[in-house]
Amino acid sequence: MAGAEQMTEPKFLGVIPARYASSRLPGKPLLEIGGKTMLEHVYRRSLASGVFFRVVIATDDHRIYDAAEKVGADVLMTRADHPDGSSRVAEIAAKIDTDYVINIQGDEPMLDPRMLRELAAGFAADPEADSATVCVPITREEDFQNPNIVKVVRAQNGRALYFSRSPIPYPRNSAGCPVWEHLGIYAFTKQFLLKFVALPPTPLMQTESLEQLRILEHGYSMAVIPTKYPSEGPNVNTLEDLEEARRIFAQKKNEEK
């Protein structure tokens, strides 16, 4: 129709916050796995998703900056005083024209690009949501009871009702209710991300030590999107995780020969 506005595709910015200091694994982003740094693996897989008009590595460390530039990555320096990764991502997002921002964890070298596509599509399909994340079914009782595996319960519309380290929902009756594990990747509208990082801490967030509860406690919404494509290996926080990631990469390389 003449004069009608054309629909435009939403713009997604990917940001990978990367810092050198890590109490358990110093220099983690630059550790090598299968001939590439962990950070390069995450960057390449993010690009391979086809979701983003731009993927940026955000760091305050010149060693990370130089290593990223060396492999042709898009990297920007940030302030050094950020309290968390979301704050670092927000500094970058504030300077770039975008509709949505996905905070991509830099310690997931086996991130499946298809999961990023699911997250972006699910978030765009719920335009009233302020933020979004992903989940997978919990199938093992030991995972349900494990406080290091974060559980999430969802409303009928797919929004988060609550996140907890405790087993939720409590199985008082056998009603066939699905049990979900939350995977820690977050998407935001740009407008909400800038608001989110200024929100004060909340009691449930501090009690459970789960940053995403700050969103719910302040009355904002988070879409929780089931994914069929969780990471193919561990997120790397310890030396044991690193060794496991290297083992999986080596095995895959041998299978491809």
Side-chain angles (χ1 to χ4, degrees):
M1 182 183 295
E5 291 186 6
Q6 286 189 326
M7 296 293 291
T8 58
E9 288 293 320
K11 296 173 67 176
F12 278 86
L13 169 70
V15 183
I16 307 169
R19 63 189 188 95
Y20 194 86
S22 171
S23 57
R24 289 185 287 179
L25 209 56
K28 181 165 67 170
L30 302 185
L31 294 174
E32 190 174 284
I33 301 171
K36 298 177 182 176
T37 66
M38 182 156 56
L39 188 60
E40 184 181 355
H41 280 293
V42 176
Y43 182 76
R44 300 294 178 207
R45 285 171 176 249
S46 300
L47 290 177
S49 71
V51 165
F52 306 105
F53 72 92
R54 187 176 178 185
V55 177
V56 177
I57 294 170
T59 187
D60 62 354
D61 192 284
H62 285 284
R63 290 165 290 190
I64 292 175
Y65 185 94
D66 292 344
E69 268 208 325
K70 186 176 180 181
V71 296
D74 187 347
V75 57
L76 295 173
M77 291 292 288
T78 68
R79 304 192 316 270
D81 61 349
H82 287 292
D84 51 49
S86 296
S87 178
R88 195 178 305 280
V89 169
E91 181 187 341
I92 297 299
K95 304 171 184 175
I96 298 174
D97 179 27
T98 188
D99 301 307
Y100 297 101
V101 185
I102 297 184
N103 179 350
I104 304 164
Q105 303 299 316
D107 58 6
E108 296 230 14
M110 281 168 278
L111 173 74
D112 193 317
R114 293 171 294 182
M115 183 179 74
L116 294 173
R117 292 201 288 270
E118 287 180 319
L119 174 58
F123 194 12
D126 187 356
E128 300 301 316
D130 301 302
S131 57
T133 189
V134 295
C135 65
V136 291
I138 294 177
T139 58
R140 302 192 310 169
E141 178 65 23
E142 56 264 41
D143 291 341
F144 188 51
Q145 300 294 335
N146 186 347
N148 294 315
I149 292 178
V150 177
K151 275 67 70 173
V152 59
V153 288
R154 304 164 71 233
Q156 291 290 307
N157 64 0
R159 303 276 183 85
L161 292 172
Y162 192 62
F163 297 87
S164 183
R165 297 183 183 279
S166 296
I168 55 171
Y170 180 78
R172 179 72 179 267
N173 298 301
S174 300
C177 181
V179 180
W180 299 105
E181 175 186 351
H182 173 233
L183 303 182
I185 184 167
Y186 299 98
F188 307 87
T189 65
K190 176 180 174 176
Q191 181 181 14
F192 178 66
L193 173 60
L194 301 183
K195 183 184 296 184
F196 166 62
V197 296
L199 293 174
T202 50
L204 290 172
M205 166 197 161
Q206 294 174 320
T207 299
E208 294 254 20
S209 189
L210 295 174
E211 184 185 18
Q212 65 271 32
L213 286 174
R214 181 164 46 144
I215 294 173
L216 304 188
E217 284 186 87
H218 280 286
Y220 297 100
S221 60
M222 177 173 279
V224 184
I225 299 151
T227 178
K228 299 187 291 290
Y229 306 107
S231 294
E232 303 166 290
N235 60 322
V236 178
N237 289 307
T238 66
L239 186 58
E240 291 74 21
D241 295 334
L242 178 65
E243 290 170 350
E244 174 67 4
R246 286 171 170 167
R247 184 194 66 76
I248 293 171
F249 266 98
Q251 180 179 340
K252 289 183 67 176
K253 189 173 182 179
N254 287 334
E255 290 172 353
E256 292 167 0
K257 288 181 179 178

